[in-house]
Amino acid sequence: MPRSLSRPVRDILGRPGPDADYRAMPRVTFTDPEVGSVGLTEHAAREQGLRVRTGTARVPSSARGWIHKAGNDGLIELVEDADRGVLIGPTAGPAGGEVLYGLAVAIQTGIPADRLRHMMFAYPTFHCAVEEALADLGHGD
């Protein structure tokens, strides 16, 4: 059975289907360490006139960062639309591309940040630092 075409491919080929939704477009830079982001940066969100809050977690202070040792230097930054209470753009590294999947789903579906704070995160993973960054939301400007 052939795979269905992704939205962007359908758009390029002019085939019918739902419109492409680029709110949660992932970007990964395959450097060492790998860095990834999805959605809007804090700067882009502010340029669009959104009121934002940010939350940051340093990866070395997470359990996985401590275990990983060398190459663990990095952070997870979350950008939240302060008026709607939903994430609009995280950036993560190291392992940025791997950390972003769940955050991309949260952006695409508009899951409130308060709901994400009550999730259980696999331990010890780089994803655990997302929990710390969620706790930090609201302490930004």
Side-chain angles (χ1 to χ4, degrees):
M1 176 176 277
R3 269 181 55 182
S4 64
L5 298 174
S6 69
R7 288 180 192 165
V9 172
R10 278 195 318 269
D11 286 352
I12 291 168
L13 296 175
R15 295 202 178 153
D19 290 338
D21 180 350
Y22 296 104
R23 287 176 299 151
M25 176 67 79
R27 299 169 303 281
V28 181
T29 305
F30 293 99
T31 55
D32 188 13
E34 178 181 293
V35 178
S37 61
V38 62
L40 297 174
T41 63
E42 178 183 3
H43 179 76
R46 290 185 192 282
E47 281 188 334
Q48 290 185 19
L50 297 173
R51 193 170 65 87
V52 300
R53 280 192 290 260
T54 61
T56 305
R58 304 267 319 137
V59 172
S61 65
S62 71
R64 177 62 189 265
W66 181 82
I67 291 167
H68 195 70
K69 301 284 189 226
N72 72 351
D73 194 28
L75 60 89
I76 294 178
E77 179 186 60
L78 304 179
V79 180
E80 176 190 49
D81 179 327
D83 294 326
R84 294 184 304 134
V86 297
L87 295 184
I88 55 174
T91 299
E98 302 302 322
V99 171
L100 291 179
Y101 175 75
L103 297 170
V105 170
I107 291 170
Q108 187 73 39
T109 59
I111 298 171
D114 282 340
R115 287 223 37 209
L116 295 173
R117 285 184 184 93
H118 299 289
M119 283 181 48
M120 287 188 252
F121 291 83
Y123 181 86
T125 63
F126 285 118
H127 293 90
C128 282
V130 171
E131 188 173 19
E132 183 180 329
L134 283 164
D136 189 51
L137 272 175
H139 298 287
D141 53 327

